[in-house]
Amino acid sequence: MEFSCKDFKVGKCEGEKIVDGEVMPLVLQPPEPNKRDLESLLSTLRNNKDWFEQMIIKNSAVLLRGFDVNNAVDFNDIVETCGWEDIRYVGPAPRTQIHKRIWTANEGPLSEFIYYHHEMVLIKECPKKVILFCEIPPPEGGETPCVPSFKVTEKMLKEFPEEVKEMEEKGLKYSFTARSTQNDTSSMRGRGWEDAFGTSDPEEAERRANALGMDMEWLPNGGVKTILGPRPLTRVFEGRKGRRMWFNTLVGMYGKELSSATFADGTEIPRHVVERCGEIIEEESIQFKWQKGDVVFLDNLALLHGRRPSLPPRKVLVATCK
C-alpha cells in the first residue's frame, strides 16, 4: 500500500524518533489552511479508512495535529467515523464517561506518574487502538510517553536471556486489590469494583471477572483482590513484522502496595531484573508536548504508554477500540 495520502500533509513534532525505519509518531496535518475544519477531516478519514489504519500499524502512533477538534463531541465524531468497534475499559483507573464513546483518561492526581502499560493487557480481549484527544494542554509536563514494545523485548533478551526464558516458560501471575466499592480519585488506581465490573452484585461481579480471566478473593473491608494468571511475558501479533512485544505489566505491578507480579507458580522474580527492565523501558520512551486539538492514535498491541506528572489544568480524553 502506498504510504502517502494527498489529503494529509506529513509534519514533524519535537520528540519524534525513527524506530526500525519508521517515524513515531507519524504527524498528519491539513494539506492546506482551508482544510483544517472538522468536516474536512471527517471526510478525509471516511475516504481513506484502510490507508489510515495501515499507518497506525506501520508507525505504531499517528498524531493528527492542526485540525479544529474542540471538544468531546468532535472527538467522538472522529472515533465513530473510523468505524472501529468500541470496547469497554476494564481496569483500576477511575474514569468518567463524557459523551457516547468518550471518557476521561485516568483521573488520578496529576502529580503522579502513570506507569507504562498496554491498555487492558491482562484482560482476555484488550483494545487494538487507544485514541487520545487533548482538549486542554497542561502548562508544564503531562506528556503521554510511548515505548515500542518490541525494543524492550530485544534488550531484555540480550541482557537477561535465561531470566526471560524462565518467565516465558513459567508465565506470570498478577494480583491487584480494589479497597472498596467506591471510586477514589485521590489514587490513580482508585477505581472501586462496582464501577470496574458495572454491577453492585458481588456474585455478578465475580461472574464477569471470571469471564475476563480473573479470580476474585473478597476482603473483610468490602474490597476485593483480583488474581490473574498465568499470563504470557511476550506476544507476537499478526501484521507487525513478527515483532515480539513485551506484552505484560511486570514492572508496573511488581512489589507495589496494592499489586504484585510473580512467576505463575508464585515464586519471586529477581528484583534486579525488574528494575533493569524499568530502566530499559524509560530509555526507549518517545514523547511530544500536547497541543490543543491533538488527536493521537496508538497501536495498543505495539506500544506501551504512560502519563508524565503535570501542572494543572490538563484535560485529555480517551476512546478504546477493538
Side-chain angles (χ1 to χ4, degrees):
M1 179 176 288
E2 178 64 35
F3 293 136
S4 63
C5 176
K6 63 180 177 60
D7 295 321
F8 287 112
K9 181 176 72 173
V10 176
K12 290 184 175 295
C13 69
E14 185 179 352
E16 68 181 37
K17 289 184 180 180
I18 303 296
V19 179
D20 201 20
E22 306 295 351
V23 64
M24 293 184 190
L26 172 65
V27 180
L28 298 179
Q29 299 174 320
E32 50 192 74
N34 66 347
K35 292 292 183 69
R36 61 176 295 148
D37 62 284
L38 181 64
E39 284 307 315
S40 293
L41 173 58
L42 296 179
S43 176
T44 295
L45 291 172
R46 271 192 296 268
N47 294 334
N48 298 278
K49 283 185 179 181
D50 291 343
W51 177 86
F52 190 70
E53 184 162 18
Q54 285 300 312
M55 293 303 98
I56 297 170
I57 294 173
K58 172 177 169 285
N59 294 79
S60 299
V62 174
L63 172 61
L64 299 181
R65 173 166 282 180
F67 294 94
D68 293 330
V69 187
N70 295 306
N71 50 46
V73 176
D74 294 349
F75 181 33
N76 187 77
D77 287 345
I78 291 171
V79 173
E80 293 194 342
T81 296
C82 290
W84 305 309
E85 189 177 348
D86 189 42
I87 185 168
R88 187 181 189 277
Y89 170 73
V90 177
R95 293 181 174 181
T96 302
Q97 187 176 19
I98 300 298
H99 176 73
K100 294 184 178 178
R101 296 176 60 171
I102 308 307
W103 295 70
T104 58
N106 192 315
E107 295 175 7
L110 291 176
S111 59
E112 295 186 33
F113 176 49
I114 297 175
Y115 196 72
Y116 300 98
H117 59 284
H118 292 277
E119 200 70 29
M120 294 167 55
V121 64
L122 302 181
I123 307 302
K124 283 184 177 179
E125 183 180 23
C126 69
K128 291 182 178 178
K129 302 169 190 71
V130 173
I131 312 171
L132 299 163
F133 159 62
C134 182
E135 186 169 341
I136 302 175
E140 182 179 318
E143 299 91 347
T144 300
C146 300
V147 176
S149 198
F150 78 98
K151 297 295 291 183
V152 182
T153 307
E154 286 181 352
K155 282 193 172 182
M156 287 295 289
L157 280 168
K158 183 177 180 180
E159 296 188 27
F160 301 103
E162 294 305 315
E163 291 85 348
V164 169
K165 180 181 178 183
E166 185 177 8
M167 286 188 280
E168 288 277 36
E169 291 176 348
K170 289 185 175 180
L172 303 177
K173 181 171 71 174
Y174 304 91
S175 72
F176 178 78
T177 299
R179 286 175 167 162
S180 67
T181 60
Q182 303 301 313
N183 289 347
D184 175 12
T185 55
S186 69
S187 169
M188 62 183 180
R189 289 184 169 182
R191 195 180 192 194
W193 65 262
E194 288 188 4
D195 184 30
F197 296 107
T199 179
S200 59
D201 179 356
E203 291 186 3
E204 179 60 25
E206 196 157 348
R207 281 193 291 271
R208 295 180 183 184
N210 293 161
L212 293 167
M214 305 178 188
D215 293 321
M216 299 177 77
E217 293 179 4
W218 296 97
L219 305 176
N221 64 0
V224 66
K225 181 178 182 180
T226 55
I227 302 165
L228 305 95
R231 292 290 190 274
L233 181 74
T234 64
R235 290 186 63 182
V236 177
F237 296 100
E238 183 180 355
R240 288 158 181 83
K241 301 182 179 180
R243 291 168 171 167
R244 195 169 163 188
M245 307 301 183
W246 192 254
F247 209 70
N248 62 74
T249 185
L250 171 61
V251 179
M253 293 183 73
Y254 180 90
K256 303 297 192 297
E257 180 185 2
L258 298 178
S259 67
S260 69
T262 64
F263 287 113
D265 62 9
T267 55
E268 289 294 320
I269 298 166
R271 179 171 292 275
H272 73 281
V273 175
V274 180
E275 290 177 348
R276 175 58 186 144
C277 183
E279 293 172 356
I280 289 170
I281 289 172
E282 188 59 55
E283 289 166 6
E284 295 297 327
S285 66
I286 301 165
Q287 66 182 34
F288 60 89
K289 293 287 186 185
W290 281 114
Q291 294 183 13
K292 181 176 174 57
D294 280 352
V295 180
V296 66
F297 296 73
L298 305 180
D299 180 357
N300 189 48
L301 304 185
L303 287 181
L304 300 129
H305 69 279
R307 187 196 72 187
R308 300 283 187 208
S310 78
L311 296 177
R314 179 188 188 270
K315 188 174 184 181
V316 174
L317 305 179
V318 64
T320 47
C321 306
K322 293 185 179 180

